[in-house]
Structures are given as C-alpha cells and as structure tokens.
Short mmCIF file of all heavy atoms in Angstrom, two decimals:
data_model
loop_
_atom_site.label_atom_id
_atom_site.label_comp_id
_atom_site.label_asym_id
_atom_site.label_seq_id
_atom_site.Cartn_x
_atom_site.Cartn_y
_atom_site.Cartn_z
N TYR X 208 140.56 -58.70 141.27
CA TYR X 208 139.29 -58.56 141.94
C TYR X 208 138.59 -59.93 142.02
O TYR X 208 138.64 -60.77 141.17
CB TYR X 208 138.40 -57.62 141.19
CG TYR X 208 138.88 -56.12 141.33
CD1 TYR X 208 139.50 -55.49 140.22
CD2 TYR X 208 138.82 -55.41 142.44
CE1 TYR X 208 140.01 -54.22 140.24
CE2 TYR X 208 139.17 -54.10 142.52
CZ TYR X 208 139.84 -53.61 141.52
OH TYR X 208 140.25 -52.19 141.58
N VAL X 209 137.88 -60.04 143.18
CA VAL X 209 137.09 -61.27 143.37
C VAL X 209 135.60 -60.86 143.66
O VAL X 209 135.38 -60.19 144.73
CB VAL X 209 137.63 -62.10 144.59
CG1 VAL X 209 136.77 -63.38 144.72
CG2 VAL X 209 139.11 -62.43 144.35
N ALA X 210 134.71 -61.09 142.85
CA ALA X 210 133.25 -60.77 143.00
C ALA X 210 132.63 -61.91 143.89
O ALA X 210 132.77 -63.09 143.57
CB ALA X 210 132.62 -60.65 141.70
N LEU X 211 131.99 -61.44 145.07
CA LEU X 211 131.42 -62.46 145.90
C LEU X 211 129.94 -62.13 146.05
O LEU X 211 129.50 -61.05 145.88
CB LEU X 211 132.16 -62.39 147.27
CG LEU X 211 133.58 -62.82 147.28
CD1 LEU X 211 134.24 -62.61 148.67
CD2 LEU X 211 133.66 -64.35 146.85
N PRO X 212 129.09 -63.23 146.39
CA PRO X 212 127.71 -63.05 146.32
C PRO X 212 127.09 -62.32 147.42
O PRO X 212 125.85 -61.91 147.25
CB PRO X 212 127.20 -64.51 146.22
CG PRO X 212 128.26 -65.31 146.95
CD PRO X 212 129.57 -64.66 146.55
N THR X 213 127.67 -62.29 148.64
CA THR X 213 127.07 -61.68 149.80
C THR X 213 128.05 -60.86 150.50
O THR X 213 129.24 -60.96 150.38
CB THR X 213 126.54 -62.81 150.75
OG1 THR X 213 127.70 -63.50 151.27
CG2 THR X 213 125.54 -63.75 150.08
N ILE X 214 127.52 -59.92 151.35
CA ILE X 214 128.37 -59.13 152.17
C ILE X 214 129.18 -59.91 153.12
O ILE X 214 130.30 -59.69 153.40
CB ILE X 214 127.51 -58.00 152.86
CG1 ILE X 214 126.99 -57.02 151.97
CG2 ILE X 214 128.36 -57.25 153.95
CD1 ILE X 214 126.03 -55.98 152.42
N ARG X 215 128.46 -60.99 153.75
CA ARG X 215 129.15 -61.79 154.72
C ARG X 215 130.38 -62.55 154.07
O ARG X 215 131.40 -62.70 154.71
CB ARG X 215 128.15 -62.88 155.22
CG ARG X 215 128.76 -63.82 156.21
CD ARG X 215 127.76 -64.83 156.80
NE ARG X 215 126.95 -64.09 157.85
CZ ARG X 215 127.31 -63.89 159.05
NH1 ARG X 215 128.48 -64.39 159.48
NH2 ARG X 215 126.54 -63.26 159.84
N SER X 216 130.22 -62.95 152.85
CA SER X 216 131.34 -63.65 152.13
C SER X 216 132.48 -62.73 151.92
O SER X 216 133.66 -63.21 151.94
CB SER X 216 130.85 -64.35 150.85
OG SER X 216 130.35 -63.27 149.96
N VAL X 217 132.24 -61.40 151.72
CA VAL X 217 133.34 -60.48 151.66
C VAL X 217 134.12 -60.39 152.97
O VAL X 217 135.30 -60.47 153.07
CB VAL X 217 132.79 -59.12 151.14
CG1 VAL X 217 133.96 -58.05 151.15
CG2 VAL X 217 132.20 -59.20 149.72
N PHE X 218 133.31 -60.19 154.02
CA PHE X 218 133.93 -60.19 155.33
C PHE X 218 134.79 -61.41 155.64
O PHE X 218 135.89 -61.33 156.11
CB PHE X 218 132.84 -59.95 156.42
CG PHE X 218 132.49 -58.57 156.71
CD1 PHE X 218 131.62 -57.88 155.89
CD2 PHE X 218 132.96 -57.94 157.89
CE1 PHE X 218 131.16 -56.56 156.22
CE2 PHE X 218 132.55 -56.67 158.12
CZ PHE X 218 131.65 -56.01 157.25
N GLU X 219 134.15 -62.64 155.36
CA GLU X 219 134.90 -63.82 155.61
C GLU X 219 136.14 -64.00 154.80
O GLU X 219 137.14 -64.57 155.21
CB GLU X 219 133.94 -64.97 155.42
CG GLU X 219 132.79 -65.02 156.56
CD GLU X 219 131.78 -66.17 156.31
OE1 GLU X 219 131.79 -66.64 155.21
OE2 GLU X 219 130.91 -66.37 157.23
N SER X 220 136.14 -63.50 153.53
CA SER X 220 137.29 -63.61 152.69
C SER X 220 138.40 -62.86 153.24
O SER X 220 139.64 -63.23 153.17
CB SER X 220 136.98 -63.19 151.25
OG SER X 220 136.15 -64.21 150.69
N VAL X 221 138.16 -61.58 153.79
CA VAL X 221 139.14 -60.76 154.35
C VAL X 221 139.62 -61.42 155.73
O VAL X 221 140.80 -61.51 156.00
CB VAL X 221 138.65 -59.36 154.64
CG1 VAL X 221 139.70 -58.43 155.30
CG2 VAL X 221 138.17 -58.75 153.30
N GLU X 222 138.65 -61.87 156.44
CA GLU X 222 139.01 -62.44 157.86
C GLU X 222 139.89 -63.68 157.69
O GLU X 222 140.78 -63.85 158.44
CB GLU X 222 137.60 -62.81 158.45
CG GLU X 222 137.77 -63.46 159.84
CD GLU X 222 136.42 -63.81 160.42
OE1 GLU X 222 135.61 -64.47 159.67
OE2 GLU X 222 136.19 -63.54 161.60
N THR X 223 139.68 -64.55 156.66
CA THR X 223 140.55 -65.76 156.42
C THR X 223 141.78 -65.47 155.70
O THR X 223 142.59 -66.40 155.53
CB THR X 223 139.70 -66.80 155.82
OG1 THR X 223 139.23 -66.31 154.52
CG2 THR X 223 138.53 -67.22 156.62
N GLY X 224 141.94 -64.36 155.19
CA GLY X 224 143.20 -63.93 154.44
C GLY X 224 143.13 -64.42 152.98
O GLY X 224 144.19 -64.33 152.32
N ARG X 225 142.04 -64.79 152.47
CA ARG X 225 141.88 -65.22 151.06
C ARG X 225 142.20 -63.90 150.19
O ARG X 225 142.58 -64.07 149.02
CB ARG X 225 140.60 -65.88 150.79
CG ARG X 225 140.41 -67.21 151.44
CD ARG X 225 139.31 -68.05 150.83
NE ARG X 225 137.98 -67.37 151.02
CZ ARG X 225 137.23 -67.61 152.12
NH1 ARG X 225 137.66 -68.46 153.08
NH2 ARG X 225 136.12 -67.05 152.25
N VAL X 226 141.70 -62.77 150.71
CA VAL X 226 142.03 -61.53 150.02
C VAL X 226 142.53 -60.51 150.98
O VAL X 226 142.42 -60.72 152.22
CB VAL X 226 140.68 -60.87 149.39
CG1 VAL X 226 140.08 -61.91 148.31
CG2 VAL X 226 139.73 -60.60 150.48
N ARG X 227 143.20 -59.52 150.53
CA ARG X 227 143.84 -58.53 151.42
C ARG X 227 142.80 -57.49 151.86
O ARG X 227 142.81 -56.99 152.98
CB ARG X 227 144.95 -57.76 150.70
CG ARG X 227 145.79 -56.88 151.53
CD ARG X 227 146.53 -57.46 152.62
NE ARG X 227 147.23 -56.53 153.46
CZ ARG X 227 146.75 -55.85 154.51
NH1 ARG X 227 145.53 -56.09 154.92
NH2 ARG X 227 147.54 -55.02 155.13
N PHE X 228 141.93 -57.08 150.92
CA PHE X 228 140.88 -56.05 151.19
C PHE X 228 139.56 -56.50 150.73
O PHE X 228 139.39 -57.32 149.81
CB PHE X 228 141.27 -54.72 150.49
CG PHE X 228 142.59 -54.09 150.93
CD1 PHE X 228 143.74 -54.27 150.09
CD2 PHE X 228 142.67 -53.39 152.04
CE1 PHE X 228 144.91 -53.73 150.52
CE2 PHE X 228 143.87 -52.80 152.48
CZ PHE X 228 145.03 -52.99 151.70
N GLY X 229 138.56 -55.97 151.37
CA GLY X 229 137.14 -56.19 150.95
C GLY X 229 136.36 -54.81 150.83
O GLY X 229 136.62 -53.95 151.64
N VAL X 230 135.49 -54.79 149.89
CA VAL X 230 134.77 -53.55 149.62
C VAL X 230 133.32 -53.86 149.78
O VAL X 230 132.79 -54.74 149.07
CB VAL X 230 135.08 -52.95 148.32
CG1 VAL X 230 134.31 -51.58 148.19
CG2 VAL X 230 136.50 -52.76 148.07
N VAL X 231 132.61 -53.13 150.60
CA VAL X 231 131.15 -53.45 150.88
C VAL X 231 130.37 -52.08 150.97
O VAL X 231 131.00 -51.11 151.48
CB VAL X 231 130.89 -54.21 152.14
CG1 VAL X 231 131.45 -55.70 152.04
CG2 VAL X 231 131.36 -53.52 153.41
N PRO X 232 129.14 -52.03 150.60
CA PRO X 232 128.38 -50.74 150.83
C PRO X 232 127.97 -50.67 152.29
O PRO X 232 127.74 -51.67 152.91
CB PRO X 232 127.20 -50.96 149.93
CG PRO X 232 126.97 -52.44 149.74
CD PRO X 232 128.43 -53.04 149.84
N ILE X 233 127.95 -49.45 152.81
CA ILE X 233 127.46 -49.24 154.17
C ILE X 233 126.30 -48.33 154.24
O ILE X 233 125.54 -48.52 155.20
CB ILE X 233 128.76 -48.65 154.99
CG1 ILE X 233 128.46 -48.64 156.51
CG2 ILE X 233 129.07 -47.27 154.56
CD1 ILE X 233 128.31 -50.05 157.12
N GLU X 234 126.13 -47.42 153.41
CA GLU X 234 124.87 -46.60 153.42
C GLU X 234 124.69 -45.86 152.06
O GLU X 234 125.64 -45.57 151.33
CB GLU X 234 124.88 -45.62 154.57
CG GLU X 234 126.02 -44.57 154.47
CD GLU X 234 126.02 -43.72 155.76
OE1 GLU X 234 124.91 -43.37 156.28
OE2 GLU X 234 127.10 -43.19 156.12
N ASN X 235 123.42 -45.52 151.87
CA ASN X 235 123.08 -44.68 150.67
C ASN X 235 122.26 -43.45 151.28
O ASN X 235 121.48 -43.62 152.20
CB ASN X 235 122.22 -45.53 149.82
CG ASN X 235 121.66 -44.62 148.57
OD1 ASN X 235 120.56 -44.06 148.67
ND2 ASN X 235 122.39 -44.62 147.56
N ASN X 236 122.55 -42.32 150.73
CA ASN X 236 121.94 -41.13 151.29
C ASN X 236 120.48 -41.04 150.98
O ASN X 236 119.82 -40.07 151.55
CB ASN X 236 122.75 -39.85 150.88
CG ASN X 236 122.64 -39.56 149.43
OD1 ASN X 236 122.21 -40.37 148.53
ND2 ASN X 236 122.97 -38.39 148.94
N GLN X 237 119.87 -41.80 150.14
CA GLN X 237 118.52 -41.84 149.85
C GLN X 237 117.80 -42.92 150.59
O GLN X 237 116.56 -42.75 150.98
CB GLN X 237 118.26 -41.96 148.36
CG GLN X 237 119.04 -40.94 147.52
CD GLN X 237 118.56 -39.58 147.68
OE1 GLN X 237 117.33 -39.27 147.72
NE2 GLN X 237 119.42 -38.55 147.75
N GLU X 238 118.50 -44.08 150.68
CA GLU X 238 117.84 -45.27 151.22
C GLU X 238 118.19 -45.72 152.72
O GLU X 238 117.62 -46.52 153.26
CB GLU X 238 118.11 -46.47 150.29
CG GLU X 238 117.58 -46.33 148.86
CD GLU X 238 116.15 -46.34 148.73
OE1 GLU X 238 115.42 -46.98 149.55
OE2 GLU X 238 115.59 -45.83 147.78
#
C-alpha cells in the first residue's frame, strides 16, 4: 500500500503506472 496526501495524487499515481490500483472516496450517504 502507498498512502498519498491528496485525491489528485492517487489519480496521478495510477495514471503514470506507479501503482496498479488507486482507492478514493466518492460519496458519503450523510455528507
């Protein structure tokens, strides 16, 4: 696992191939 500081950095790590998968939150049913 690679912990990254921003959602954008997760997207970019997957986009550049530094990681195979990225996990980001998309919605919360309360917020």
Side-chain angles (χ1 to χ4, degrees):
Y208 291 104
V209 181
L211 295 175
T213 64
I214 290 175
R215 178 174 288 275
S216 62
V217 175
F218 272 79
E219 291 175 346
S220 290
V221 179
E222 184 181 43
T223 58
R225 292 196 295 271
V226 299
R227 182 69 178 90
F228 298 101
V230 183
V231 296
I233 190 68
E234 62 180 329
N235 176 270
N236 67 345
Q237 308 291 317
E238 300 290 334

